[in-house]
Amino acid sequence: MCLRPFPASVTQHQQLPRPLSPCTSVRCLPLWTPTLFFSLSASSQVDLSAPSHLTQLHPQHQRILTQRQQQGGQAQSISSEKLWSPNTDPYAGLMTSKDKDWVVKVEMIQLQSENIDDDYYYQMYYHRLEHRQAEEELLGGRNKQEPLKLVTPFIQKVETYDSVVRIAGSLGQVAVSTCYSPRRAIDAVHHALVEEAAGSHRLRALHRIEKLFLLLLEVEETQRKNSMALEEQQPCCQEQKSQEVECIYQALKIRACSSKEEAEDEFLQLLCVRKGKKLMARLLPHLTREQAEKILLTITHHLPFLMKKDMLEESLPLLYSPLNEVVGRMAFSKLIEVLQEMTRPLLESPELPLTMALKNQFGISLLYSLLSHGEKLLSSDVPLEPRRGDFETWTDMVFLVARELSQVPKASLVEPLFLPSNLLSLFCRYLDKQTVHHLEAKME
């Protein structure tokens, strides 16, 4: 910003205030122009060749500049005339008078406050100046006069603004529109009206997930305290944890629903959100065996719906590891019940859930995990305690999986998260060698 010339003389009753201290607020410094600060005569002029208290540098700054010039072989005094010369500033004259007026107006508005914290150095300078003038008047050293102050433009400040549009449930506030900064929100209104129905379920689900996460954090904190507690205090902590887990499980609202009600089901809405899947993955290790198996059965029953909703995020694999632990603790009869959910026919689709699962990474991984656990149970010496017809159902399922696996094109077959090593031995129990070799090539 180029400097305007200072008046050459000031009348006695309009003495200029003393220069500010080196720690003066920065935003006051560019404002030392007499046309803005003081009621001076417009015809008064000043010659910059005569040093004044407004153009002299601070002694510390003067000494540093002198030392630098002496070190560079230019041991000459630095005059205020040369420092303030436009030739030494390559950026002088870039701002127009309109630009300067705008900057000055902004800075003067900032001083329009009686709060000393807004501009401490400006306020303190004039307080001391008034105090010094009052002392001089008491001693009779000068006539009484009003102290010179900045004449700041009065601009009414509006405390609150109403936004152009309010979208219920929106995370954040729509851009406001004022006379100083008008903004259009037509597009935001359009998209809000179109997506309002689809987004309401997701917003409600996110709200429930936040509440459930707070409860889950309390469960994890209780478990941490239980691990550090004394042996006689652990039963009490374990009981508290069981009550907290039961509260979360009831809040999930797991219920049986048809395919037409899936979009409205509160539990399935949680599993349609990535954060909801993370919540479930952290909750499953704390649940009892019956509770975890109920969740696994519900997920398997609605697996086609969940896979369809997960096509963009592809976050269902977050549930594989905890559900694989649940599968590893299941009894043979419960395993058959879960597998039957993957082989039941669908009214709205000609494909079986089993066929859809082979084309989805989470689905095929869960299927392989169930088959692998069944093979482990059959190969072990642990009594299975099967129900009537479980072995026949298991045999039919193995043939059905082998048939669907051989018919699905290899390009459509998805690589699982984990391929159990005992699947080939399972197929060898019921299938001929040629079919086993064909399935082996498919799975590789």
Side-chain angles (χ1 to χ4, degrees), residues 54-65:
L54 289 178
T55 59
Q56 290 177 347
L57 294 175
H58 187 271
Q60 180 75 6
H61 193 184
Q62 179 82 23
R63 188 176 69 254
I64 293 175
L65 293 178

Side-chain angles (χ1 to χ4, degrees), residues 220-231:
E220 294 176 346
E221 179 65 17
T222 303
Q223 184 180 14
R224 186 187 67 82
K225 292 180 180 178
N226 187 23
S227 61
M228 301 174 60
L230 299 177
E231 186 175 355

Side-chain angles (χ1 to χ4, degrees), residues 1-38:
M1 179 189 301
C2 64
L3 299 176
R4 298 180 181 177
F6 292 99
S9 61
V10 182
T11 57
Q12 186 176 0
H13 64 281
Q14 289 181 331
Q15 295 180 358
L16 294 176
R18 297 183 180 179
L20 301 181
S21 60
C23 56
T24 305
S25 176
V26 174
R27 52 185 180 175
C28 288
L29 293 180
L31 303 182
W32 286 107
T33 54
T35 57
L36 295 173
F37 283 78
F38 310 105

Side-chain angles (χ1 to χ4, degrees), residues 47-186:
D47 186 5
L48 286 179
S49 60
S52 67
H53 62 282
L54 289 178
T55 59
Q56 290 177 347
L57 294 175
H58 187 271
Q60 180 75 6
H61 193 184
Q62 179 82 23
R63 188 176 69 254
I64 293 175
L65 293 178
T66 304
Q67 290 177 354
R68 287 181 179 177
Q69 284 203 351
Q70 289 177 353
Q71 291 175 358
Q74 300 177 355
Q76 57 182 1
S77 61
I78 305 175
S79 64
S80 56
E81 177 185 1
K82 185 173 182 179
L83 289 174
W84 288 103
S85 174
N87 297 330
T88 60
D89 187 1
Y91 301 101
L94 291 181
M95 295 182 66
T96 64
S97 59
K98 186 177 180 180
D99 296 334
K100 300 173 188 176
D101 293 340
W102 183 83
V103 174
V104 169
K105 184 178 180 181
V106 171
E107 293 180 341
M108 294 176 74
I109 291 174
Q110 293 175 339
L111 299 178
Q112 194 179 89
S113 173
E114 296 181 356
N115 185 7
I116 196 172
D117 293 332
D118 290 345
D119 199 307
Y120 175 81
Y121 298 109
Y122 165 76
Q123 300 282 354
M124 289 302 299
Y125 173 78
Y126 276 101
H127 285 328
R128 294 177 180 177
L129 183 62
E130 291 173 355
H131 181 68
R132 185 165 58 251
Q133 290 178 351
E135 290 181 348
E136 293 178 357
E137 292 171 1
L138 290 176
L139 296 176
R142 59 182 298 172
N143 298 327
K144 185 176 181 180
Q145 56 179 329
E146 288 293 329
L148 300 176
K149 287 190 176 181
L150 289 177
V151 181
T152 57
F154 177 75
I155 296 180
Q156 184 178 3
K157 297 182 179 179
V158 181
E159 298 297 335
T160 58
Y161 297 100
D162 292 331
S163 59
V164 175
V165 59
R166 297 183 181 275
I167 301 176
S170 61
L171 300 178
Q173 184 181 3
V174 183
V176 298
S177 177
T178 68
C179 60
Y180 299 104
S181 178
R183 303 191 187 283
R184 297 185 179 274
I186 297 177

